[in-house]
Amino acid sequence: MSILGPVGLGGRRVELFRRRLCGVAKLLGTLLLTFLGLLLVTFLIGRVVPVDPVLAAVGDRASAEVYEQAKRELGLDRPLYEQFAVYVWDVLRGDLGKSVLTARPVAEDIGRFFPATLELATLATIIGVLLGVPAGVVAAVNRGRWPDQVIRVVGLVGYSMPIFWLGLMGLLLFYGTLGWVAGPGRVDIFYEGMVPSITGMLLIDSALAGDWAVWRSAFSHIILPAGTLGYFSLAYISRMTRSFMLEQLGQEYVTTARVKGLSEWRVVWRHALGNIMVPLITVIALSYAQLLEGSVLTETVFAWPGLGRYITSSLLSADMNAVLGGTLVVGAVFIGLNLLSDLLYRVLDPRAR
């Protein structure tokens, strides 16, 4: 036993390391295939849509010679597989092409517009989590009673109401009638460019610069669009939290905890809520990704200079490089958030390890 024990222990460690290495390799392979599929989809979209990128670049009054020359320079005269290979290589180098609308590299434009969307979606998700999770727990604990009915109705309205209409009504009431918040845009014109752009998120940059007047103006502008998106997130998160909690509250360990004399607060908020954190994190991550990719209408209504509005303006201008670049970034963010939720799942749930 004294000889075989350490050998057996070493063998188990080697086997455990091998399994973890295989798991990491499978994860990286899945990510690579998913990203390659995303590249293929965006490439095919650029070739299928009834928009001629050559005409968008040279204009519809260009001569045939100019048209053919631009087509060769863009590489559109090559076979599709060569075009796709060049596209993948350019993306890996960070080259998403040049925007016809802004005459700047698409990657540079995305670097300017994406932080505004990230700031808006992050604040909306925080609102949705801080209000949605407690609402879902309260609804589950009071199943069938009036708090449950009220929360379910509020969630149903938020989940089914068109978000652009909700944004317009919010502007009409809180900006036009009551004057509680600032109007469309990201900050008052007077404060534009007054703080250095470090993160691209105006609330953080103004706080880092110590310019609280700019911070108050930025907060007054963002609270209504973030609240609109946060209401949508709240509806989804509260509904899923209620569903998860109802399942946990019917388990035997909850009955056992109550029989042991534990307080209802501890049973519900510590034990039951703690056991739904793993699936709930996945729900929150997916909700966050949906806000990042689905804030186009909100940014349009509130004239918010984010990625969604940039993609919409580019689409209306037939600027396919910008549209595909923005779509690719949103897809990559979605993949990244799914990976993050999977990693958190493995960290929080020992059974997954």
Side-chain angles (χ1 to χ4, degrees):
M1 292 294 294
S2 61
I3 298 177
L4 295 178
V7 174
L9 182 60
R12 289 184 61 185
R13 288 178 177 176
V14 171
E15 179 66 18
L16 180 61
F17 177 76
R18 187 186 67 82
R19 289 183 179 181
R20 289 181 176 177
L21 190 62
C22 290
V24 172
K26 288 180 181 179
L27 180 61
L28 293 177
T30 302
L31 285 176
L32 181 61
L33 289 176
T34 304
F35 187 69
L36 186 62
L38 177 62
L39 289 175
L40 180 60
V41 169
T42 54
F43 173 78
L44 293 178
I45 289 175
R47 299 303 183 270
V48 171
V49 293
V51 175
D52 191 341
V54 181
L55 283 180
V58 301
D60 54 1
R61 295 185 179 182
S63 63
E65 292 78 8
V66 174
Y67 179 89
E68 291 299 329
Q69 181 181 356
K71 187 175 183 179
R72 286 192 298 271
E73 291 177 356
L74 293 173
L76 298 177
D77 58 331
R78 302 177 184 178
L80 279 179
Y81 67 89
E82 289 187 13
Q83 295 182 40
F84 180 65
V86 172
Y87 176 69
V88 172
W89 175 245
D90 288 341
V91 170
L92 293 178
R93 293 189 299 116
D95 183 6
L96 301 178
K98 193 173 183 179
S99 171
V100 177
L101 184 63
T102 64
R104 289 190 298 264
V106 173
E108 180 182 331
D109 283 342
I110 292 175
R112 292 178 60 229
F113 291 108
F114 184 67
T117 298
L118 184 65
E119 183 179 38
L120 179 62
T122 301
L123 184 57
T125 302
I126 292 174
I127 294 173
V129 171
L130 292 181
L131 298 180
V133 172
V137 174
V138 171
V141 173
N142 296 277
R143 182 180 183 180
R145 295 194 286 270
W146 70 266
D148 182 26
Q149 300 296 336
V150 171
I151 293 172
R152 292 174 65 186
V153 169
V154 171
L156 180 62
V157 171
Y159 202 68
S160 58
M161 185 179 298
I163 199 165
F164 70 90
W165 184 86
L166 186 64
L168 290 174
M169 293 302 102
L171 279 174
L172 179 63
L173 176 61
F174 296 107
Y175 168 62
T177 303
L178 300 176
W180 289 356
V181 297
R186 199 176 180 192
V187 71
D188 292 339
I189 298 178
F190 177 76
Y191 295 116
E192 287 186 357
M194 290 190 64
V195 296
S197 180
I198 301 175
T199 65
M201 292 179 280
L202 200 52
L203 289 176
I204 296 178
D205 290 343
S206 58
L208 291 176
D211 196 330
W212 300 109
V214 176
W215 190 93
R216 286 191 295 269
S217 176
F219 182 80
S220 182
H221 279 271
I222 197 177
I223 190 61
L224 187 55
T228 303
L229 285 175
Y231 183 28
F232 176 80
S233 177
L234 179 154
Y236 177 61
I237 292 175
S238 64
R239 184 166 63 92
M240 297 304 297
T241 303
R242 178 183 182 275
S243 177
F244 294 149
M245 285 295 295
L246 286 177
E247 181 182 359
Q248 292 300 317
L249 291 176
Q251 299 294 322
E252 292 183 357
Y253 77 88
V254 173
T255 304
T256 303
R258 286 170 174 165
V259 170
K260 287 183 177 180
L262 295 180
S263 64
E264 188 69 11
W265 183 92
R266 187 172 183 180
V267 171
V268 172
W269 294 96
R270 182 173 179 179
H271 294 286
L273 183 61
N275 281 335
I276 70 167
M277 289 308 298
V278 171
L280 191 58
I281 285 176
T282 303
V283 168
I284 293 172
L286 292 177
S287 175
Y288 187 37
Q290 289 176 355
L291 293 184
L292 284 173
E293 70 173 353
S295 58
V296 176
L297 292 176
T298 304
E299 291 183 359
T300 303
V301 169
F302 290 94
W304 190 262
L307 186 61
R309 192 180 176 203
Y310 172 69
I311 295 176
T312 304
S313 302
S314 301
L315 183 60
L316 295 176
S317 303
D319 188 357
M320 293 309 299
N321 282 339
V323 173
L324 297 180
T327 304
L328 185 64
V329 169
V330 171
V333 170
F334 206 99
I335 293 173
L337 287 174
N338 274 278
L339 173 63
L340 178 61
S341 64
D342 184 66
L343 293 177
L344 290 175
Y345 179 87
R346 294 173 182 272
V347 170
L348 295 176
D349 191 350
R351 294 170 298 179
R353 297 195 295 269

mmCIF file of all heavy atoms in Angstrom, residues 9 12-13 22 32 41 48 67 138 145 154 157 194 196 209 224 241 256 259 281 307 313 318 321 347 352:
data_model
loop_
_atom_site.group_PDB
_atom_site.id
_atom_site.type_symbol
_atom_site.label_atom_id
_atom_site.label_comp_id
_atom_site.label_asym_id
_atom_site.label_seq_id
_atom_site.Cartn_x
_atom_site.Cartn_y
_atom_site.Cartn_z
ATOM 1 N N LEU A 9 -2.231 7.673 -6.644
ATOM 2 C CA LEU A 9 -2.595 9.081 -6.527
ATOM 3 C C LEU A 9 -2.045 9.880 -7.703
ATOM 4 O O LEU A 9 -2.725 10.738 -8.269
ATOM 5 C CB LEU A 9 -2.068 9.637 -5.201
ATOM 6 C CG LEU A 9 -2.405 11.103 -4.898
ATOM 7 C CD1 LEU A 9 -3.905 11.301 -4.861
ATOM 8 C CD2 LEU A 9 -1.768 11.531 -3.584
ATOM 9 N N ARG A 12 -4.110 9.201 -10.771
ATOM 10 C CA ARG A 12 -5.381 9.946 -10.751
ATOM 11 C C ARG A 12 -5.161 11.401 -11.117
ATOM 12 O O ARG A 12 -5.978 11.997 -11.817
ATOM 13 C CB ARG A 12 -6.013 9.839 -9.361
ATOM 14 C CG ARG A 12 -6.552 8.457 -9.032
ATOM 15 C CD ARG A 12 -7.241 8.439 -7.693
ATOM 16 N NE ARG A 12 -8.378 9.350 -7.687
ATOM 17 C CZ ARG A 12 -9.107 9.611 -6.595
ATOM 18 N NH1 ARG A 12 -8.792 9.042 -5.442
ATOM 19 N NH2 ARG A 12 -10.123 10.441 -6.658
ATOM 20 N N ARG A 13 -4.070 11.982 -10.653
ATOM 21 C CA ARG A 13 -3.787 13.387 -10.990
ATOM 22 C C ARG A 13 -3.519 13.549 -12.479
ATOM 23 O O ARG A 13 -3.969 14.503 -13.105
ATOM 24 C CB ARG A 13 -2.590 13.876 -10.177
ATOM 25 C CG ARG A 13 -2.899 14.081 -8.699
ATOM 26 C CD ARG A 13 -1.655 14.512 -7.942
ATOM 27 N NE ARG A 13 -1.958 14.772 -6.528
ATOM 28 C CZ ARG A 13 -1.043 15.083 -5.623
ATOM 29 N NH1 ARG A 13 0.252 15.151 -5.986
ATOM 30 N NH2 ARG A 13 -1.393 15.319 -4.372
ATOM 31 N N CYS A 22 -8.361 17.938 -22.168
ATOM 32 C CA CYS A 22 -9.303 17.593 -23.246
ATOM 33 C C CYS A 22 -10.515 18.516 -23.227
ATOM 34 O O CYS A 22 -11.023 18.925 -24.281
ATOM 35 C CB CYS A 22 -9.741 16.132 -23.102
ATOM 36 S SG CYS A 22 -8.457 14.922 -23.469
ATOM 37 N N LEU A 32 -13.821 27.998 -31.878
ATOM 38 C CA LEU A 32 -13.252 28.238 -33.197
ATOM 39 C C LEU A 32 -14.262 27.924 -34.293
ATOM 40 O O LEU A 32 -14.435 28.711 -35.239
ATOM 41 C CB LEU A 32 -11.985 27.397 -33.375
ATOM 42 C CG LEU A 32 -11.251 27.550 -34.712
ATOM 43 C CD1 LEU A 32 -10.781 28.991 -34.887
ATOM 44 C CD2 LEU A 32 -10.070 26.596 -34.781
ATOM 45 N N VAL A 41 -21.420 33.045 -42.139
ATOM 46 C CA VAL A 41 -22.768 33.615 -42.265
ATOM 47 C C VAL A 41 -22.702 35.086 -42.679
ATOM 48 O O VAL A 41 -23.415 35.528 -43.584
ATOM 49 C CB VAL A 41 -23.533 33.453 -40.930
ATOM 50 C CG1 VAL A 41 -24.823 34.266 -40.950
ATOM 51 C CG2 VAL A 41 -23.847 31.988 -40.689
ATOM 52 N N VAL A 48 -25.287 37.833 -50.605
ATOM 53 C CA VAL A 48 -26.662 37.488 -50.981
ATOM 54 C C VAL A 48 -27.566 38.713 -51.047
ATOM 55 O O VAL A 48 -28.458 38.788 -51.902
ATOM 56 C CB VAL A 48 -27.230 36.443 -49.993
ATOM 57 C CG1 VAL A 48 -28.719 36.228 -50.222
ATOM 58 C CG2 VAL A 48 -26.492 35.114 -50.154
ATOM 59 N N TYR A 67 -16.024 51.131 -62.714
ATOM 60 C CA TYR A 67 -16.732 50.064 -61.994
ATOM 61 C C TYR A 67 -15.890 48.791 -61.948
ATOM 62 O O TYR A 67 -15.733 48.173 -60.884
ATOM 63 C CB TYR A 67 -18.077 49.808 -62.670
ATOM 64 C CG TYR A 67 -18.896 48.708 -62.022
ATOM 65 C CD1 TYR A 67 -19.780 48.998 -60.997
ATOM 66 C CD2 TYR A 67 -18.774 47.385 -62.450
ATOM 67 C CE1 TYR A 67 -20.530 47.996 -60.409
ATOM 68 C CE2 TYR A 67 -19.499 46.374 -61.853
ATOM 69 C CZ TYR A 67 -20.382 46.688 -60.836
ATOM 70 O OH TYR A 67 -21.114 45.683 -60.250
ATOM 71 N N VAL A 138 -40.376 37.242 -4.920
ATOM 72 C CA VAL A 138 -41.615 37.613 -4.227
ATOM 73 C C VAL A 138 -42.818 36.969 -4.902
ATOM 74 O O VAL A 138 -43.745 36.477 -4.234
ATOM 75 C CB VAL A 138 -41.758 39.148 -4.185
ATOM 76 C CG1 VAL A 138 -43.140 39.548 -3.672
ATOM 77 C CG2 VAL A 138 -40.672 39.763 -3.310
ATOM 78 N N ARG A 145 -51.348 34.690 -5.102
ATOM 79 C CA ARG A 145 -51.889 35.835 -4.366
ATOM 80 C C ARG A 145 -51.648 37.124 -5.144
ATOM 81 O O ARG A 145 -51.010 37.127 -6.196
ATOM 82 C CB ARG A 145 -51.281 35.891 -2.960
ATOM 83 C CG ARG A 145 -51.675 34.686 -2.097
ATOM 84 C CD ARG A 145 -51.342 34.931 -0.631
ATOM 85 N NE ARG A 145 -49.915 34.847 -0.381
ATOM 86 C CZ ARG A 145 -49.275 33.732 -0.051
ATOM 87 N NH1 ARG A 145 -49.933 32.590 0.042
ATOM 88 N NH2 ARG A 145 -47.979 33.740 0.179
ATOM 89 N N VAL A 154 -47.193 43.052 -14.687
ATOM 90 C CA VAL A 154 -46.148 44.016 -15.024
ATOM 91 C C VAL A 154 -45.124 43.390 -15.967
ATOM 92 O O VAL A 154 -44.692 43.997 -16.959
ATOM 93 C CB VAL A 154 -45.456 44.529 -13.742
ATOM 94 C CG1 VAL A 154 -44.220 45.352 -14.093
ATOM 95 C CG2 VAL A 154 -46.430 45.370 -12.923
ATOM 96 N N VAL A 157 -46.680 42.890 -19.525
ATOM 97 C CA VAL A 157 -46.749 44.149 -20.273
ATOM 98 C C VAL A 157 -45.369 44.531 -20.801
ATOM 99 O O VAL A 157 -45.209 44.903 -21.969
ATOM 100 C CB VAL A 157 -47.318 45.271 -19.376
ATOM 101 C CG1 VAL A 157 -47.186 46.628 -20.063
ATOM 102 C CG2 VAL A 157 -48.779 44.997 -19.051
ATOM 103 N N MET A 194 -15.934 67.582 -23.347
ATOM 104 C CA MET A 194 -15.312 68.247 -22.202
ATOM 105 C C MET A 194 -14.506 67.304 -21.322
ATOM 106 O O MET A 194 -13.701 67.759 -20.508
ATOM 107 C CB MET A 194 -16.386 68.952 -21.353
ATOM 108 C CG MET A 194 -17.005 70.165 -22.031
ATOM 109 S SD MET A 194 -18.049 71.143 -20.912
ATOM 110 C CE MET A 194 -16.854 71.727 -19.715
ATOM 111 N N PRO A 196 -11.966 63.737 -21.296
ATOM 112 C CA PRO A 196 -11.200 62.847 -22.174
ATOM 113 C C PRO A 196 -11.829 61.462 -22.230
ATOM 114 O O PRO A 196 -12.313 60.940 -21.222
ATOM 115 C CB PRO A 196 -9.813 62.808 -21.526
ATOM 116 C CG PRO A 196 -10.048 63.180 -20.101
ATOM 117 C CD PRO A 196 -11.200 64.139 -20.096
ATOM 118 N N ALA A 209 -12.703 61.778 -14.487
ATOM 119 C CA ALA A 209 -12.202 63.149 -14.636
ATOM 120 C C ALA A 209 -12.654 64.051 -13.496
ATOM 121 O O ALA A 209 -12.158 65.173 -13.360
ATOM 122 C CB ALA A 209 -12.664 63.728 -15.974
ATOM 123 N N LEU A 224 -33.474 57.342 -19.021
ATOM 124 C CA LEU A 224 -34.731 56.964 -19.664
ATOM 125 C C LEU A 224 -34.546 55.825 -20.676
ATOM 126 O O LEU A 224 -35.289 54.835 -20.609
ATOM 127 C CB LEU A 224 -35.372 58.184 -20.333
ATOM 128 C CG LEU A 224 -36.783 57.963 -20.901
ATOM 129 C CD1 LEU A 224 -37.716 57.428 -19.818
ATOM 130 C CD2 LEU A 224 -37.339 59.273 -21.471
ATOM 131 N N THR A 241 -36.938 33.954 -13.005
ATOM 132 C CA THR A 241 -36.655 33.771 -11.576
ATOM 133 C C THR A 241 -37.832 33.115 -10.875
ATOM 134 O O THR A 241 -37.670 32.207 -10.047
ATOM 135 C CB THR A 241 -36.330 35.115 -10.916
ATOM 136 O OG1 THR A 241 -35.221 35.731 -11.582
ATOM 137 C CG2 THR A 241 -35.996 34.934 -9.448
ATOM 138 N N THR A 256 -37.577 20.402 4.687
ATOM 139 C CA THR A 256 -36.723 20.006 5.812
ATOM 140 C C THR A 256 -36.186 21.228 6.555
ATOM 141 O O THR A 256 -36.147 21.259 7.791
ATOM 142 C CB THR A 256 -35.553 19.154 5.295
ATOM 143 O OG1 THR A 256 -36.067 18.020 4.594
ATOM 144 C CG2 THR A 256 -34.673 18.693 6.439
ATOM 145 N N VAL A 259 -38.912 22.654 8.674
ATOM 146 C CA VAL A 259 -39.182 21.811 9.840
ATOM 147 C C VAL A 259 -38.115 22.016 10.918
ATOM 148 O O VAL A 259 -38.398 21.992 12.117
ATOM 149 C CB VAL A 259 -39.256 20.331 9.418
ATOM 150 C CG1 VAL A 259 -39.280 19.415 10.641
ATOM 151 C CG2 VAL A 259 -40.479 20.090 8.557
ATOM 152 N N ILE A 281 -27.757 32.917 -13.751
ATOM 153 C CA ILE A 281 -26.633 33.623 -14.378
ATOM 154 C C ILE A 281 -26.679 33.467 -15.889
ATOM 155 O O ILE A 281 -26.411 34.409 -16.645
ATOM 156 C CB ILE A 281 -25.304 33.106 -13.801
ATOM 157 C CG1 ILE A 281 -25.100 33.657 -12.383
ATOM 158 C CG2 ILE A 281 -24.124 33.497 -14.689
ATOM 159 C CD1 ILE A 281 -23.880 33.130 -11.686
ATOM 160 N N LEU A 307 -23.912 51.446 -31.335
ATOM 161 C CA LEU A 307 -23.647 50.529 -32.440
ATOM 162 C C LEU A 307 -24.912 50.205 -33.217
ATOM 163 O O LEU A 307 -24.873 50.066 -34.443
ATOM 164 C CB LEU A 307 -23.014 49.238 -31.902
ATOM 165 C CG LEU A 307 -22.550 48.222 -32.940
ATOM 166 C CD1 LEU A 307 -21.475 48.827 -33.828
ATOM 167 C CD2 LEU A 307 -22.037 46.955 -32.251
ATOM 168 N N SER A 313 -28.027 53.117 -39.722
ATOM 169 C CA SER A 313 -27.669 54.161 -40.686
ATOM 170 C C SER A 313 -26.844 53.586 -41.831
ATOM 171 O O SER A 313 -27.037 53.966 -42.998
ATOM 172 C CB SER A 313 -26.878 55.275 -39.985
ATOM 173 O OG SER A 313 -27.611 55.839 -38.925
ATOM 174 N N ALA A 318 -26.606 51.532 -47.631
ATOM 175 C CA ALA A 318 -26.013 50.413 -48.376
ATOM 176 C C ALA A 318 -24.524 50.264 -48.090
ATOM 177 O O ALA A 318 -23.749 49.852 -48.946
ATOM 178 C CB ALA A 318 -26.246 50.572 -49.880
ATOM 179 N N ASN A 321 -19.965 46.995 -45.584
ATOM 180 C CA ASN A 321 -18.807 46.743 -44.730
ATOM 181 C C ASN A 321 -19.127 47.083 -43.274
ATOM 182 O O ASN A 321 -18.791 46.332 -42.352
ATOM 183 C CB ASN A 321 -17.613 47.565 -45.204
ATOM 184 C CG ASN A 321 -16.928 46.963 -46.414
ATOM 185 O OD1 ASN A 321 -17.068 45.774 -46.685
ATOM 186 N ND2 ASN A 321 -16.201 47.778 -47.147
ATOM 187 N N VAL A 347 -17.819 27.040 -12.368
ATOM 188 C CA VAL A 347 -17.234 27.518 -11.107
ATOM 189 C C VAL A 347 -18.230 27.384 -9.962
ATOM 190 O O VAL A 347 -17.880 26.942 -8.854
ATOM 191 C CB VAL A 347 -16.773 28.978 -11.259
ATOM 192 C CG1 VAL A 347 -16.394 29.568 -9.905
ATOM 193 C CG2 VAL A 347 -15.581 29.053 -12.214
ATOM 194 N N ALA A 352 -20.776 20.270 -12.232
ATOM 195 C CA ALA A 352 -20.314 20.492 -13.601
ATOM 196 C C ALA A 352 -18.817 20.268 -13.736
ATOM 197 O O ALA A 352 -18.329 20.020 -14.822
ATOM 198 C CB ALA A 352 -20.665 21.907 -14.054
#
